[in-house]
Amino acid sequence: MRYFIFILIAIATGLLIFNSSKLDVDHILIGDSKIALISIIACACIIVLLGILLTSRAIQKKSGKR
């Protein structure tokens, strides 16, 4: 399961980088930039949530698997 989470983090990071290249800073809320901005925010949320999941699983493992 741990490796699967790392693969998902890598995919989300790749999508974040790809969408960053599609972002037009001059017109950030128009057309494809709007979709890219939403995708960047979603990828960042996914990375944070998976990081929290890894941390909580490590704490659960150390505390004795209730």
Side-chain angles (χ1 to χ4, degrees), residues 1 3 6 10 12 16 21 29 34-35 40 48 50 52 54 59 61-62 64:
M1 182 74 171
Y3 296 116
F6 285 130
L16 189 131
S21 69
L29 294 177
K34 186 176 183 181
I35 296 169
I40 289 169
V48 168
L50 288 173
I52 291 170
L54 281 173
I59 291 171
K61 187 177 180 181
K62 287 183 181 181

Side-chain angles (χ1 to χ4, degrees), residues 8-20 35-51:
L8 289 177
I9 290 173
I11 291 171
T13 304
L15 285 172
L16 189 131
I17 292 169
F18 174 74
N19 286 316
S20 295
I35 296 169
L37 182 64
I38 292 169
S39 299
I40 289 169
I41 293 169
C43 288
C45 289
I46 290 170
I47 292 169
V48 168
L49 288 173
L50 288 173

Side-chain angles (χ1 to χ4, degrees), residues 22-37:
K22 298 290 182 183
L23 193 64
D24 183 17
V25 182
D26 294 332
H27 304 101
I28 201 150
L29 294 177
I30 299 173
D32 288 339
S33 283
K34 186 176 183 181
I35 296 169
L37 182 64

